[in-house]
Amino acid sequence: MRAAILSTGDELTTGRTLDTNANYIADQLLGIGYEVVAMMTVGDFPDRIRNAWRTLFEQADIVIGTGGLGPTADDLTTETVAEMLGVPLISDEATVKKVRGFFELMGREMPPNNLKQALFPQGSTILNNDMGTAPGFRFSLEMDDGPRHGVVMPGVPREMKHIMAEEVLPWLRGLRADNREWLSHTFQTFGLSESALDEMVAGAVDESEGRVAFRAAFPQISVRVTVDGPAETLAERLERVAASIRERLGDFCYAEGETTMEAEVGRVLIAAGSTVAVAESCTGGLIGHRLTNVAGSSEYVLGGAVAYSNDMKQSQLGVSADTLERHGAVSTEVAEEMARGARRSAGADYGIATTGIAGPGGGTEEKPVGTVCIALDREGAVYSHRYRLWGNREWVKLLTSQIALDWVRRAVAGEDPTASAVLKK
Amino acid sequence: MRAAILSTGDELTTGRTLDTNANYIADQLLGIGYEVVAMMTVGDFPDRIRNAWRTLFEQADIVIGTGGLGPTADDLTTETVAEMLGVPLISDEATVKKVRGFFELMGREMPPNNLKQALFPQGSTILNNDMGTAPGFRFSLEMDDGPRHGVVMPGVPREMKHIMAEEVLPWLRGLRADNREWLSHTFQTFGLSESALDEMVAGAVDESEGRVAFRAAFPQISVRVTVDGPAETLAERLERVAASIRERLGDFCYAEGETTMEAEVGRVLIAAGSTVAVAESCTGGLIGHRLTNVAGSSEYVLGGAVAYSNDMKQSQLGVSADTLERHGAVSTEVAEEMARGARRSAGADYGIATTGIAGPGGGTEEKPVGTVCIALDREGAVYSHRYRLWGNREWVKLLTSQIALDWVRRAVAGEDPTASAVLKK
């Protein structure tokens, strides 16, 4: 099946917004065996939107579009599709209720133009959106050489991803004419570049057995293997190829399936009945933020300190003035005292600390930008290591938080995190 | 002048690599007054590449392409363009020398297929690439309704950006028949939905005077107005339309230009020579993270506490057991004690605190999911308010952090943040 992706919005054609939707959708389609033959982006102009749909339907059986569903005057996708199909717009009562309810919940007056979001081309199927007010929809049309299907979703990534998972992917799976099924397994990795990963798994899976795809959207660097064929033998074949990849990845794989480092940390902490406290300097709260993005994290995250200034490191975490004086704020010694202070004051099982120079300023000859010290304190043991990271401020913060979270994961597993080859680099 | 952008490569259509080139080129083109009417991405297939060039030349005077210039068999752009133009490929001696020299310099044997990079469609102009072995090139063709120009650059962002700056942009500037330019101004807003914003500014700017575009990538909700025409009068015309929008937005606009709430908070804190400390419960560190994403934030962010558990609220922030007992952790009373505790222990000018129920669990009849209390403590005054927010866990955290940051901004300006209509809802 040939698929195409259409992204709509002036913010894309003017370079104001980086389009991550098309990339995400392409990856999802590949996973269920749809080949993306073209991706297109146009601004909020009816003629350009119309041209784009036409162009893509000439090349693909399925066109998946995002954007232009909002309530504002420059959201033109729905009208344009209805016009292309030669059908009127019909108001959907359920959606009207939902939009009204949303604004009542917010205790706000609903701007009348929001009812625009309840209009759909006659005959189209509404795609439910639990994450926002604008549902998506899908439609079909006949062309000389066969049927075509179109999907329209909001451009807000959070909403688009939800609709893709709940409504679009299941439908696309069912749409396939053949009885070929697609099954895939994902490995979450940390510590290797995409190209290094590529080399590591090269040859592990024969082209005829399965297809290996990489995806690097840091901090998510995943390897996915997909097998296809008759449903009966699929699970068994998938496990066979997955096993050979699992063996190659070894310690670089921190979890399997669609998960994240913070979710995995939460899983192992709950399993162990343990708790964690954070002491963040250069990460400024990012580790706590990521840990608490996981539902139920209040079970194992006690809290901690964001100790940006030296005074805070002393008052909040009990770092000694002497240690700060002798080794400087960015040192393994200070990191260790921070980790211990966080763990003890919180009464947690694990204390994780970061202190470093995220840049762009603050670097020195001896401690250049990217110098980061991480420490983990547990009953009877404390670990620390000084890293030399690279990249801009946000990247250093993100990378530091990823390393720190992996330290916690390994410590809960009884490992010495500083002993891991993955984290040595 | 109408421009279009073409990105080539299987890594893009399979979702393996996020295309940042098209976004960069679109932004650069806008800056010199070229309107991007379409962006397209195709994999490494001759027919798809050919279709893409044809499709884009139908809509644009200039098509800027990236990718498919490498030495490997799946790099097909040059051949495809030559075929489209109906001209042979000519080897460029200077490029051959350069490629040979490059490999000699690296002391490596040159794989013969690298000479492929020295082939160009007859009559095309070579675009020098100081960052790599593969030069780009540009070509022209005549169509019934006028001339077309094509540009081809390597897909490696570093090389593409260099060629854009050195070769393509100067040429494009010279190519312009008119002296028309584009100029735009951005307003950052908070407190209004995109649709409410739309209504608020509707009619403020006449279509003929300028174009108003919205962008809602929460927490960034911005309004941008763009004017175009002869360069001379542009700045003055832009200021006229901007003024009318500024008047409409009033208190809902927290900053102008390409900035963020956290950067604006930093700007006002530095201007006032003040410092801030955070006390985060439901935001889990997000406020500290956002504040410290701003370079130089160590000047005004002292730190604070992530007090997820009640014990931490007492031990780290000095919240009284009695207050916790009487009002519960999610209460304005506790939030006020948290804010005071953070400010005093840090010796900061402002203490900002959040406590709430981000969900999905933890809600009660009296305090449902989305109940959030925010407090700000300053010398001689403390403010607090209980909000009823909506959405999933990440959304509640993000919205809470945005409100809290705006509280700080307003407090530094001498306002009572709880008095603002923007934040009442």
Side-chain angles (χ1 to χ4, degrees):
Chain A
M1 297 283 267
R2 304 164 308 157
I5 300 167
L6 171 57
S7 305
T8 306
D10 285 350
E11 72 279 11
L12 303 175
T13 53
T14 56
R16 263 183 103 205
T17 304
L18 180 63
D19 179 13
T20 57
N21 287 343
N23 172 264
Y24 179 86
I25 294 168
D27 175 66
Q28 294 291 304
L29 290 175
L30 181 71
I32 58 168
Y34 282 77
E35 181 182 20
V36 173
V37 296
M39 299 150 88
M40 202 162 176
T41 306
V42 293
D44 302 309
F45 298 82
D47 58 326
R48 293 176 192 173
I49 297 171
R50 206 178 305 113
N51 275 334
W53 281 103
R54 286 217 194 89
T55 301
L56 295 177
F57 274 132
E58 279 165 20
Q59 303 167 43
D61 309 297
I62 315 267
V63 176
I64 302 208
T66 59
L69 289 188
T72 60
D74 60 0
D75 291 306
L76 304 163
T77 298
T78 306
E79 299 87 309
T80 308
V81 168
E83 191 191 324
M84 177 176 70
L85 297 173
V87 299
L89 289 171
I90 307 290
S91 177
D92 176 66
E93 271 322 300
T95 305
V96 170
K97 277 203 193 63
K98 194 177 159 222
V99 175
R100 287 195 192 287
F102 180 78
F103 278 89
E104 278 161 17
L105 186 73
M106 288 163 55
R108 284 193 182 156
E109 188 71 25
M110 180 184 74
N113 60 5
N114 272 67
L115 289 179
K116 188 164 165 292
Q117 300 181 303
L119 295 174
F120 301 92
Q122 188 175 49
S124 57
T125 304
I126 294 172
L127 304 175
N128 192 32
N129 176 4
D130 300 331
M131 298 277 168
T133 54
F137 63 91
R138 60 182 169 82
F139 58 92
S140 300
L141 66 160
E142 276 301 325
M143 288 180 60
D144 308 346
D145 59 346
R148 298 289 194 276
H149 304 279
V151 173
V152 177
M153 293 181 286
V156 181
R158 191 169 38 90
E159 301 181 17
M160 178 280 293
K161 289 178 182 180
H162 178 76
I163 297 173
M164 270 299 280
E166 297 297 315
E167 299 268 18
V168 179
L169 290 177
W171 167 71
L172 284 175
R173 284 202 192 84
L175 198 66
R176 304 186 58 87
D178 50 37
N179 76 327
R180 260 170 105 213
E181 293 283 336
W182 300 70
L183 207 60
S184 58
H185 187 76
T186 305
F187 298 86
Q188 304 296 342
T189 76
F190 178 52
L192 286 175
S193 69
E194 190 183 0
S195 54
L197 263 183
D198 197 353
E199 288 190 5
M200 181 170 266
V201 302
V205 178
D206 186 278
E207 287 269 329
S208 63
E209 297 172 29
R211 195 176 61 251
V212 178
F214 301 89
R215 187 164 162 78
F218 198 81
Q220 292 288 90
I221 300 181
S222 55
V223 181
R224 185 178 58 190
V225 60
T226 306
V227 297
D228 66 285
E232 304 71 41
T233 64
L234 220 45
E236 171 199 318
R237 285 179 46 219
L238 179 63
E239 185 40 45
R240 196 162 58 242
V241 292
S244 63
I245 288 178
R246 187 176 293 120
E247 191 188 340
R248 297 281 191 105
L249 292 178
D251 198 31
F252 291 98
C253 171
Y254 67 80
E256 302 189 18
E258 293 301 334
T259 183
T260 63
M261 180 66 84
E262 47 269 52
E264 180 64 10
V265 168
R267 193 185 63 74
V268 297
L269 281 170
I270 286 174
S274 302
T275 57
V276 65
V278 299
E280 307 192 51
S281 182
C282 64
T283 45
L286 176 57
I287 296 172
H289 169 51
R290 289 183 61 184
L291 282 169
T292 57
N293 275 345
V294 180
S297 47
S298 50
E299 263 191 63
Y300 51 87
V301 178
L302 300 184
V306 175
Y308 225 53
S309 70
N310 283 354
D311 289 353
M312 293 292 279
K313 290 184 180 70
Q314 295 179 56
S315 62
Q316 294 292 296
L317 296 164
V319 175
S320 80
D322 178 58
T323 311
L324 281 163
E325 176 62 36
R326 284 230 307 285
H327 306 282
V330 178
S331 62
T332 53
E333 292 81 359
V334 166
E336 290 187 5
E337 290 188 20
M338 289 171 68
R340 188 176 309 115
R343 182 172 79 86
R344 296 201 177 153
S345 66
D349 298 300
Y350 300 92
I352 183 75
T354 63
T355 178
I357 301 151
T364 66
E365 181 79 20
E366 188 217 349
K367 294 176 182 176
V369 168
T371 303
V372 171
C373 296
I374 296 178
L376 182 138
D377 188 70
R378 65 188 297 171
E379 186 63 46
V382 59
Y383 310 95
S384 65
H385 186 71
R386 174 170 163 172
Y387 292 91
R388 173 70 203 280
L389 306 179
W390 62 94
N392 66 10
R393 183 180 184 83
E394 280 185 45
W395 181 261
V396 169
K397 285 180 68 176
L398 187 59
L399 188 50
T400 303
S401 72
Q402 188 75 352
I403 297 171
L405 289 171
D406 200 38
W407 274 44
V408 175
R409 185 183 67 85
R410 291 173 183 277
V412 174
E415 287 183 44
D416 167 358
T418 60
S420 159
V422 173
L423 301 177
K424 268 282 175 242
K425 319 193 156 163
Chain B
M1 297 283 267
R2 302 164 308 158
I5 300 168
L6 172 58
S7 306
T8 307
D10 285 347
E11 72 280 9
L12 302 175
T13 53
T14 56
R16 178 172 164 181
T17 304
L18 181 64
D19 179 14
T20 58
N21 286 343
N23 174 266
Y24 178 86
I25 294 168
D27 178 64
Q28 295 291 304
L29 290 175
L30 181 69
I32 58 170
Y34 281 78
E35 181 180 18
V36 174
V37 296
M39 297 151 89
M40 204 162 175
T41 307
V42 292
D44 301 309
F45 299 82
D47 57 327
R48 293 177 192 173
I49 297 172
R50 205 178 305 114
N51 275 335
W53 281 102
R54 286 218 193 89
T55 300
L56 295 176
F57 273 132
E58 278 165 20
Q59 303 167 43
D61 309 298
I62 315 269
V63 175
I64 304 209
T66 60
L69 290 187
T72 59
D74 61 359
D75 290 306
L76 305 161
T77 298
T78 306
E79 299 88 311
T80 309
V81 167
E83 190 191 322
M84 175 177 70
L85 297 173
V87 299
L89 290 171
I90 307 288
S91 175
D92 176 65
E93 270 324 299
T95 305
V96 171
K97 275 204 192 66
K98 193 178 160 216
V99 176
R100 285 193 194 287
F102 177 80
F103 279 91
E104 280 161 17
L105 193 70
M106 290 168 47
R108 275 170 47 195
E109 187 71 22
M110 180 184 77
N113 60 3
N114 273 68
L115 288 180
K116 188 162 163 294
Q117 299 180 304
L119 296 174
F120 301 94
Q122 187 177 50
S124 57
T125 304
I126 293 171
L127 303 176
N128 193 31
N129 175 6
D130 300 331
M131 299 277 170
T133 55
F137 63 90
R138 60 181 169 83
F139 59 92
S140 300
L141 66 162
E142 275 301 325
M143 287 180 58
D144 309 347
D145 59 346
R148 298 289 192 277
H149 303 279
V151 173
V152 176
M153 294 181 287
V156 182
R158 188 171 36 88
E159 302 181 18
M160 178 278 295
K161 290 178 182 178
H162 177 77
I163 297 174
M164 268 302 278
E166 297 298 315
E167 299 267 17
V168 180
L169 290 177
W171 166 70
L172 285 175
R173 282 204 193 82
L175 200 65
R176 299 183 55 95
D178 52 35
N179 72 333
R180 216 152 151 260
E181 299 282 349
W182 286 33
L183 206 60
S184 60
H185 187 75
T186 305
F187 298 86
Q188 305 296 342
T189 77
F190 179 52
L192 287 175
S193 68
E194 191 182 1
S195 54
L197 262 182
D198 187 25
E199 299 214 328
M200 182 171 265
V201 302
V205 177
D206 186 277
E207 284 275 325
S208 64
E209 295 174 35
R211 177 140 194 238
V212 178
F214 301 89
R215 178 180 167 195
F218 199 82
Q220 292 288 92
I221 301 182
S222 56
V223 181
R224 184 175 63 171
V225 59
T226 306
V227 298
D228 67 286
E232 303 70 46
T233 66
L234 218 46
E236 171 199 318
R237 285 179 47 219
L238 179 62
E239 185 39 47
R240 195 162 58 239
V241 292
S244 64
I245 289 179
R246 185 177 294 119
E247 193 187 339
R248 299 281 191 105
L249 292 178
D251 197 32
F252 290 97
C253 170
Y254 66 80
E256 300 189 18
E258 291 302 335
T259 184
T260 63
M261 180 67 84
E262 47 267 51
E264 180 63 11
V265 168
R267 192 185 65 72
V268 296
L269 281 169
I270 286 176
S274 302
T275 57
V276 66
V278 299
E280 306 191 54
S281 181
C282 65
T283 45
L286 176 55
I287 296 173
H289 169 49
R290 289 183 61 186
L291 282 169
T292 57
N293 275 345
V294 180
S297 47
S298 50
E299 262 191 64
Y300 52 86
V301 179
L302 299 184
V306 176
Y308 225 53
S309 69
N310 283 354
D311 289 354
M312 294 292 279
K313 291 184 178 74
Q314 295 179 56
S315 62
Q316 294 291 298
L317 296 165
V319 175
S320 78
D322 178 58
T323 311
L324 281 163
E325 177 62 35
R326 282 229 309 284
H327 305 282
V330 179
S331 61
T332 53
E333 291 81 0
V334 166
E336 290 187 5
E337 290 188 21
M338 289 171 69
R340 189 176 308 116
R343 183 173 79 85
R344 295 200 176 155
S345 66
D349 299 300
Y350 300 91
I352 183 75
T354 63
T355 178
I357 301 151
T364 65
E365 182 76 19
E366 189 217 348
K367 294 176 182 177
V369 168
T371 303
V372 171
C373 296
I374 296 179
L376 182 138
D377 187 71
R378 64 187 298 171
E379 186 62 48
V382 59
Y383 310 96
S384 64
H385 186 70
R386 174 170 161 171
Y387 291 91
R388 172 72 202 279
L389 307 179
W390 64 95
N392 66 8
R393 185 178 183 83
E394 280 185 45
W395 182 257
V396 169
K397 284 180 67 177
L398 187 57
L399 188 50
T400 303
S401 72
Q402 188 75 350
I403 297 171
L405 288 171
D406 200 38
W407 274 44
V408 176
R409 184 182 69 83
R410 291 173 183 278
V412 175
E415 286 181 46
D416 168 359
T418 61
S420 161
V422 174
L423 300 177
K424 264 290 176 232
K425 315 189 163 170

